[in-house]
Amino acid sequence: MNPVLLKKVLNGLARGRITVAEAMERLRHLPFQEIGHSTVDRHRALRQGYPEVIFCEGKTVQEIVQIAAHICATGENLLATRAGEEVYQKLRQQFPNAVYHRRARVVTVELRKLRKAKGFIAVVSAGTADAPVAEEAAVTAEIMGNAVRRFYDVGVAGLHRIISKLPELSRARVIVVAAGMEGALPSVVGGLVGTPVIAVPTSVGYGASFKGVAALLGMLNSCAAGVTVVNIDNGFGAGYAAALINKR
Amino acid sequence: MNPVLLKKVLNGLARGRITVAEAMERLRHLPFQEIGHSTVDRHRALRQGYPEVIFCEGKTVQEIVQIAAHICATGENLLATRAGEEVYQKLRQQFPNAVYHRRARVVTVELRKLRKAKGFIAVVSAGTADAPVAEEAAVTAEIMGNAVRRFYDVGVAGLHRIISKLPELSRARVIVVAAGMEGALPSVVGGLVGTPVIAVPTSVGYGASFKGVAALLGMLNSCAAGVTVVNIDNGFGAGYAAALINKR
Amino acid sequence: MNPVLLKKVLNGLARGRITVAEAMERLRHLPFQEIGHSTVDRHRALRQGYPEVIFCEGKTVQEIVQIAAHICATGENLLATRAGEEVYQKLRQQFPNAVYHRRARVVTVELRKLRKAKGFIAVVSAGTADAPVAEEAAVTAEIMGNAVRRFYDVGVAGLHRIISKLPELSRARVIVVAAGMEGALPSVVGGLVGTPVIAVPTSVGYGASFKGVAALLGMLNSCAAGVTVVNIDNGFGAGYAAALINKR
Amino acid sequence: MNPVLLKKVLNGLARGRITVAEAMERLRHLPFQEIGHSTVDRHRALRQGYPEVIFCEGKTVQEIVQIAAHICATGENLLATRAGEEVYQKLRQQFPNAVYHRRARVVTVELRKLRKAKGFIAVVSAGTADAPVAEEAAVTAEIMGNAVRRFYDVGVAGLHRIISKLPELSRARVIVVAAGMEGALPSVVGGLVGTPVIAVPTSVGYGASFKGVAALLGMLNSCAAGVTVVNIDNGFGAGYAAALINKR
Amino acid sequence: MNPVLLKKVLNGLARGRITVAEAMERLRHLPFQEIGHSTVDRHRALRQGYPEVIFCEGKTVQEIVQIAAHICATGENLLATRAGEEVYQKLRQQFPNAVYHRRARVVTVELRKLRKAKGFIAVVSAGTADAPVAEEAAVTAEIMGNAVRRFYDVGVAGLHRIISKLPELSRARVIVVAAGMEGALPSVVGGLVGTPVIAVPTSVGYGASFKGVAALLGMLNSCAAGVTVVNIDNGFGAGYAAALINKR
Amino acid sequence: MNPVLLKKVLNGLARGRITVAEAMERLRHLPFQEIGHSTVDRHRALRQGYPEVIFCEGKTVQEIVQIAAHICATGENLLATRAGEEVYQKLRQQFPNAVYHRRARVVTVELRKLRKAKGFIAVVSAGTADAPVAEEAAVTAEIMGNAVRRFYDVGVAGLHRIISKLPELSRARVIVVAAGMEGALPSVVGGLVGTPVIAVPTSVGYGASFKGVAALLGMLNSCAAGVTVVNIDNGFGAGYAAALINKR
Amino acid sequence: MNPVLLKKVLNGLARGRITVAEAMERLRHLPFQEIGHSTVDRHRALRQGYPEVIFCEGKTVQEIVQIAAHICATGENLLATRAGEEVYQKLRQQFPNAVYHRRARVVTVELRKLRKAKGFIAVVSAGTADAPVAEEAAVTAEIMGNAVRRFYDVGVAGLHRIISKLPELSRARVIVVAAGMEGALPSVVGGLVGTPVIAVPTSVGYGASFKGVAALLGMLNSCAAGVTVVNIDNGFGAGYAAALINKR
Amino acid sequence: MNPVLLKKVLNGLARGRITVAEAMERLRHLPFQEIGHSTVDRHRALRQGYPEVIFCEGKTVQEIVQIAAHICATGENLLATRAGEEVYQKLRQQFPNAVYHRRARVVTVELRKLRKAKGFIAVVSAGTADAPVAEEAAVTAEIMGNAVRRFYDVGVAGLHRIISKLPELSRARVIVVAAGMEGALPSVVGGLVGTPVIAVPTSVGYGASFKGVAALLGMLNSCAAGVTVVNIDNGFGAGYAAALINKR
């Protein structure tokens, strides 16, 4: 229970400044405020680098702008994922410093500069087509105050590409790997480094890739320990989890 | 149509040595004999290295022994796959030179020595648990007159293992790669060599490996060109296809 | 390790033409160059008939043209798969000898004539609707320097069609069979010839064909030995693997 | 509505032999008796060749024997499918003329001889392992008064086998085809004859056969018209439907 | 083997009217002609009521018109399934008596009147949305010379609807039942009649109907014997099989 | 059996007012009328609050208007689900008091006011995107005469939201919970209350949500007792079942 | 917030009977006690008829007995589902009035008699093999204080069976329907009554029943409104939900 | 490239102590040694807390003991997962300080004490049946030098259980959550804390849980950001990844 708030009420009561009825009224919503409080607490923590996020898919442009206005009023940084060109144009009208990360289909509005975490997050993609998902992860991690280094188009079909990046990769504090088709890259990376790897299957592929299922299964069955997985095309989730880990 | 056989019958008829009725009788089954003939033709070809095969699963020991006796009477080499210890014991009683390849669960009876094909077939396995399937492929290829080199336990979790084999691997004329779990090894191998790769998914794994489905999908979606795939755990099929290719 | 390059450096050092520091600098990237070297080696091999390939799906026309320009600058033959009419029109502007294989949806730019491999590759399709996939395989094999003979619309519903092609088919060195719906044709062909068969399931069908899954499963479970399988609609992969085999 | 029964009641009422109340009592259950009547009607039809069937799987031996006693008391022929040795032994004690079709795992008790239908039903199996399912179909059709001709082990891997049976096959009035693995045989047969084909996928196979799913999908997507399908391993259902068709 | 043709050749040879070389030439293609002959035989049979069929999906209008012209030149009846309005308009220009069955999306061109089979085929649909599939079955059966009676919108949610049709239904010689969603209607019908039932799952439904898979599985697992199944939305296949059965 | 109708006929017969033949004629269709009668009975019950429903998906606007006219002629309330704007516009022309529930995509025409059931139904949604499905449930329940209270956007990612609603939620007589993605909310709600919970999985999500399958499976496996499930996006079904329960 | 408890603490503080520190200590755990309180509230409600439940599968006999002892010490009725013979024998030793419902594989210990709810719950099963699941539902509902009427073996293959039960069925306040195979019975029942129907798919069946998946899908896609579904073989869940509904 | 080793060779050459041939011989395997070196590097890192792991499933006891002996000879800590009682007994004979974590089915041999990481890892399980998987995660993390706090049996069906642990949970540096059935717990935990959550689906459940697939999908679709997922029942992988994160 929020001791400060509670003590204040109880002291007021003990000192006769408020009546029992008033105390009860103030405490009436405490349990949920309390949970709200821990939430607030958590939110406070979150405020130290966590953006407010809008998942734009399935929302109208108008709805998105309204939610964005609500968020920006709090002074928090905004992250709008799966945002089309039109969403960006509308947001830019209201928030002049809105930035459109076109490849990632992400709009960010950075209202206050964050102190960067010490290490860096590596974001790796297997093929060119996986880059939008990788970018969503990278931009998410950046808006949360992380340095990000990108290693794109280094898939296993040309193994020398990823091996040549190994020295730098192995200095990352957490690695996000986006890959479609057979999704083998996280296994290869995970086998080469002693770093947490977050694998993001992408829907890149055709036929028996089943829109990312083949990659997803491949990653879940990775023979390299230390690999965890997020949903297909969920670059945001990977970037977010990587940021939480890097902040540790 | 088999011209030799046909001409013989027609000449007999033209020369009055046989009647029309006799000619018809002899030709009556020709169409299917004909197909049979091309089959025989093919079988003749097969005889130059193709074993007769018994898939033991779902057959009684007695049935297997009977079929084996039938095959060995033709003087052909015998290959009995998915054969348990008991099958071997019974076969050994009848065919003293029967050999049990325990790890592959294969019994071979080599009745005539085959001339070896020129090149060699590489058989690669990702993990120790994939070895039985790899062995089934290797033994199948060997009984068909091929030199086989084995590269076992060289999965992608420790990439240096497969890379160190590269010089030798790249001299193979065809490569069989058996892997379970995420099945990434064929992609890595296929990306490193310019050789046909036959990928065999194995049922090694648990949970979302779905008894080899994850590996199967991974291999079908391989980002490396030149990789073809056989059924889960089908070491025999991979070895057989490799032998056909090496014989080319 | 690349002995020529290495020897040169070591000789320079032994003869005092370079210092240890210089030698180290030159050798510093050797491991990856080394892998790069084997890659180059491989690439050299590839250059003897392997095209550079662009998978156009999911790339913008502009991106495709840029990559194509990059490839053609190396003097290699170009193969652009899944290329629409618009892609072709743009490529033709830059590369006047670009050829559009409309049915296969493939653009080729042949910058140097390849010596043909000795045998031929048979490309077989079950139905008219499977022809685009079959054509992708055929054109791929051709640009890699192979003679290709086409056997189209010879599915199992009218068995006499494929049987009448048998004499010619059985002379092929490798056979690609594209089929949708139940995908039975590779089993039938594989049972009639002693030749490697590469089966390509197509997404032709409806309902419980599940966009090629029924054909894929049928081919993976083929009762004919010697059949290997590629991804649904992956005509390119089949043609590429067939070319590798024919080159053996 | 059962006119005989109804008329009798109404006549009784019209003639004053029964009161309205009695008539109502007798008619109270008529609607369901009526449906029961059409059922009886149907059952009468069924009695002309339809056996009473016990699906033994999941029933205790005791339960099976009780149901069998109940059925045999009606003088109808009995068909007990998926019956193990023990079931047969117990049934034989009570019904001395019980016959055990061991391969089909079916027990029949023929209490009255049926007049045979005119034509015959062909029952075809692809491999030896499919024979139990084929036998279940054959025995079911026989106990329903049909002549059955068996064509076993004629799968597509050796096409000449089924082609050589064509003349006889094409005289059947309906053909049951049991096949596992890729399940291609019904397509081949359906393409060769102008006869209804009932395809039975069997669970024979391994890996990506998924216990008969590959065969099932293959059959549902048959490119030959006139092929209909029953559940995996449902030899009984195929034989039953074939008998209904032959009786037409 | 076709004895008439064969005898003629052999007699010619025996009588010196043709040489051995000529006899060989004439017999050279016999095996396949032979198969072709049985095919012709079959085709002859087919000509007695079997239409030539074009599956229009995935074909251009031009291709369809060409194939149609080819077929109509033989004097056979034409059935073009999954034909859109545009296909019909083009066909009508060439074949004035082309009829468009709009709901079934089928075009028929009846070039010669067929003698009707004796019995009738019942075509049943569960809901209004299943009617197009049912119509495809009905029109297919009709063009093959069968009387068809339609029973539409009689699904199990209002059981009295199908029960009230029972007397008429039970006189059909074969019943086609099209149903989507849970696909329960064939089980109910199959339990009420002693007639072969061909079940057609339709893709009607949403969510966990998985585009007809729920209905397909329901029908394959029907607790009523005598029910066989065709592919999802395959009204043509059901109508064709029903026609084969009714013709028996 | 409908005793009034039956008695009338029998009395007429007993009193000689009608002949046996006439009685038989009148009774001929009784069984089905009888079922019809129980149906009518049921329909009478239904009339006490059950709307007539049109599922608009897959129907033309014209068809919908015709069916609606037919229904409204009976004086019953109308519920048209999955109705687009155009459907509403057309319906409004004919039925001026038609109401369009835009978010639910439902049109209602309330021709007679229903007496409200005593308790209320709670309709809960996890996210904003689930609201259309929740609304479909809510509007369905309302048109059936139920008070509905909405609790939207209270998903488990912010647990305090649902907990703060608990006191009010626990007074509902039945709770409908719509959720997509992982579908965890019904488990949480079901664990907190002692009320029947009807879970509606929605197709909200992407990737491995498989259009609602993940949510569906989650709900079917709920660790909270008392949770039952309807089809994906089936807000109507949930609202209908909730109304049946509340009416109890 | 629990006002009584809170007021007491605040009054004590206001009146100086306790210090602020003491008040804080007492209030420290209030939020969770509060939730606990609502839980207790709920539990109190539950005590009015809700049993304590042990799901025995995957627990050792010893563990089960310990949990049972713990529960019975509270005086609540016990329900142990999926309990084998051995579990019962051990429980009987400790709780002499333990009853084993063998078919349902359920042990109950009724420590206090419950007042019966007014209406009754109908429990319906399609086939004999579905009876264990139906019994689990029935016994669960009974131990929760409900009258249950059983209607077993009334599946759709013999429709008259369920129709003859209609008058009684339609008086139930809620109906549980257990069915395997195609799972059509709930649709038929739901179409005949105006009562909530809880459908329980069972794993009865083989082949494409996929251990209950066919039945599950059928039920989720029921064309009858008012049908909700629980997990495969989850008789307990159905009985529990039915009891909650009947208690309303 | 390993500069020390390289320099030594080059210096030797420059100084004439070795010949060019000798230098080449020594450098010949450098590239792979080089990779081996980075591997060694990595392995060195690993040695600082990473155990050597044996996955016992599918290995014989003898094989396991041999591998264990090999590992222990290096002085590293050993972790043998999925180890039955017999494996432990055999290992204990050779390694007296082997410890059997029976519930986790894990054997550990701790040969050198590790310095504990600063923070702690929380391991949470939803139900009692999930505890073995949770324990595997916990023991894995512990042998890697982490403090672990266990929170078992706190699933969402009784939400107060997890909420009451929140204050302690939120202090963890990473949280592992194991849950079967609907797998909702990670979403709830992830929504309450700002900590990385690793979700482990377990195969606990029945019917439509599909051996953990329902839980897996639920976790992949978690509406709470920061949740990543490992394979079904992969407690080891979760514990290993958690240890990598905590070590950061």
Side-chain angles (χ1 to χ4, degrees), chain F residues 10-246:
Chain F
L10 295 184
N11 273 331
L13 179 65
R15 291 166 190 173
R17 284 199 294 261
I18 61 172
T19 65
V20 165
E22 284 167 346
M24 282 199 67
E25 180 58 27
R26 291 188 191 178
L27 295 180
R28 198 162 59 95
H29 298 298
L30 249 190
F32 309 123
Q33 283 183 345
E34 198 52 29
I35 286 172
H37 152 74
S38 78
T39 305
V40 167
D41 231 40
R42 178 168 70 85
H43 278 179
R44 190 150 27 87
L46 289 176
R47 291 297 115 71
Q48 298 167 344
Y50 293 39
E52 295 285 338
V53 184
I54 308 174
F55 181 79
C56 296
E57 217 162 271
K59 296 200 178 71
T60 66
V61 175
Q62 193 180 354
E63 287 173 335
I64 292 164
V65 170
Q66 284 174 353
I67 303 174
H70 189 77
I71 289 171
C72 290
T74 69
E76 288 307 316
N77 290 335
L78 173 75
L79 176 68
T81 64
R82 312 237 166 161
E85 184 73 34
E86 190 194 356
V87 167
Y88 166 59
Q89 295 302 342
K90 276 277 172 7
L91 285 175
R92 194 174 58 164
Q93 291 171 9
Q94 296 222 359
F95 316 103
N97 59 338
V99 176
Y100 191 36
H101 309 262
R102 192 163 273 101
R103 209 175 188 189
R105 301 188 63 226
V106 161
V107 177
T108 51
V109 183
E110 197 168 11
L111 295 184
R112 54 194 186 81
K113 274 285 172 228
L114 295 171
R115 206 168 37 127
K116 280 273 186 298
K118 279 187 183 172
F120 72 90
I121 295 171
V123 175
V124 180
S125 83
T128 309
D130 304 313
V133 175
E135 271 299 295
E136 194 184 74
V139 173
T140 298
E142 286 172 338
I143 193 75
M144 288 172 79
N146 297 278
V148 170
R149 300 195 194 163
R150 290 156 170 84
F151 304 81
Y152 286 3
D153 203 15
V154 295
V156 299
L159 205 57
H160 57 291
R161 295 181 296 186
I162 187 68
I163 288 178
S164 70
K165 306 298 185 193
L166 208 46
E168 192 177 359
L169 258 185
S170 62
R171 284 197 301 274
R173 289 168 64 128
V174 53
I175 304 175
V176 171
V177 185
M181 301 178 77
E182 83 272 63
L185 189 55
S187 288
V188 167
V189 170
L192 291 170
V193 299
T195 314
V197 171
I198 299 173
V200 198
T202 74
S203 54
V204 169
Y206 62 92
S209 88
F210 299 129
K211 301 189 180 168
V213 170
L216 171 62
L217 293 184
M219 292 168 181
L220 285 169
N221 287 285
S222 175
C223 53
V227 176
T228 62
V229 186
V230 297
N231 194 4
I232 297 164
D233 289 336
N234 189 7
F236 161 70
Y240 194 96
L244 291 191
I245 292 171
N246 192 33

Side-chain angles (χ1 to χ4, degrees), chain C residues 157 181-182 184 187 191 208-209 214 218 221 223, chain D residues 157 182 184 187 191 208-209 214 218 221 223:
Chain C
M181 301 178 77
E182 83 272 63
S187 288
S209 87
N221 287 286
C223 53
Chain D
E182 83 273 62
S187 288
S209 87
N221 287 285
C223 53

Side-chain angles (χ1 to χ4, degrees), chain E residues 75-116:
Chain E
E76 288 306 316
N77 291 335
L78 173 75
L79 176 68
T81 64
R82 311 236 166 161
E85 185 73 34
E86 190 195 357
V87 168
Y88 165 59
Q89 295 301 343
K90 275 279 174 1
L91 285 174
R92 195 174 58 163
Q93 290 172 9
Q94 297 221 359
F95 316 103
N97 59 339
V99 176
Y100 191 38
H101 309 261
R102 192 162 274 101
R103 210 177 187 186
R105 300 188 62 226
V106 162
V107 177
T108 51
V109 183
E110 197 168 10
L111 295 183
R112 55 194 185 80
K113 272 285 171 229
L114 295 171
R115 206 168 38 126
K116 279 274 187 298

